[in-house]
Amino acid sequence: MKAFKKALQGLRQQVRDSRAPAGVSVSAAPQAEPEPDFRQLFRDVKPMKPDGRHASPRPKPSPHPRRRHQHGQASEAVQQALLQHMVGWFEPAEVDAHFARPGMPSATLKKLRAGFWPVTRQLDLHGCDRYQAQDALALFLHQARRHGPCVRVIHGKGFGSNGQPVLKRMVRAWLKHHPDVLAFCEAGETMGGAGALLVLLRREHAP
């Protein structure tokens, strides 16, 4: 039995040798070469001597973009005139005599005209241009809510504006888009008529 196993192993070895390509000897895998030593590779390199100079750090760039000065840039007066002209593009064509925010009761305007809510504060915009009037109106509405829901805003009838009631249109447009304005209507003749508005404001919640 042992002789048979030895003969079988010999046959297997002969088969392996016959399968190997000609001229190629079967040997163990080559071993990897050791990595070169770092100091040996750079043994001829000489370190530089310090020169004693101080390397100042570079300033950090500004987070604000640079403004390019173009030749022939319009002056501030010209820019202001262009801005005023452009604002006119967005002015309403019609003058609203009254306004009530959607969802308000149907009797809101009737009660407002009848003086159901007493006027607690008033703002007179005579002598203001549209920019001054917008700032004054925003501040007034913010402060007036603390004193009561109804205020009076006097914008004038526009007789001094070359027949164009600028503030009359603009004030009513601003009030329609203000989040705290619930309704407005023209005041009675004794309180300014078409040159003044009674404005109903949203109540300020107590802290």
Side-chain angles (χ1 to χ4, degrees), residues 155 157 172 185-197:
H155 50 62
K157 298 181 180 180
R172 299 181 187 212
C185 66
E186 291 185 352
E189 291 299 328
T190 59
M191 300 183 66
L197 296 174

Side-chain angles (χ1 to χ4, degrees), residues 16-40:
R16 292 193 189 98
D17 295 343
S18 63
R19 290 180 179 178
V24 178
S25 59
V26 179
S27 59
Q31 298 181 356
E33 298 182 358
E35 296 183 0
D37 184 57
F38 181 81
R39 294 185 177 180
Q40 290 294 330

Side-chain angles (χ1 to χ4, degrees), residues 6-8 32 43 46 51 60 89 91 96 101 110 119 126 130 137 143 147 162 166-167 177 195 198 204 207:
K6 289 182 179 180
L8 185 60
R43 60 179 178 271
K46 295 182 180 180
D51 54 5
K60 295 182 180 180
W89 298 349
E91 291 182 356
D96 297 315
R101 191 169 298 280
K110 183 177 180 180
V119 176
H126 279 103
R130 70 184 69 191
L137 182 61
Q143 297 176 344
H147 304 282
N162 297 324
V166 177
L167 283 186
H177 293 88
L198 297 178
E204 185 177 26

Side-chain angles (χ1 to χ4, degrees), residues 88-152:
W89 298 349
F90 306 99
E91 291 182 356
E94 299 180 357
V95 178
D96 297 315
H98 53 79
F99 164 78
R101 191 169 298 280
M104 295 298 295
S106 57
T108 299
L109 290 175
K110 183 177 180 180
K111 294 167 67 175
L112 187 60
R113 292 191 188 98
F116 180 82
W117 296 280
V119 176
T120 57
R121 289 288 185 277
Q122 75 174 18
L123 173 66
D124 191 348
L125 297 175
H126 279 103
C128 297
D129 58 24
R130 70 184 69 191
Y131 307 105
Q132 296 170 343
Q134 187 175 21
D135 294 341
L137 182 61
L139 180 60
F140 171 75
L141 296 177
H142 175 71
Q143 297 176 344
R145 294 177 58 201
R146 307 173 186 173
H147 304 282
C150 184
V151 297
R152 182 170 63 150

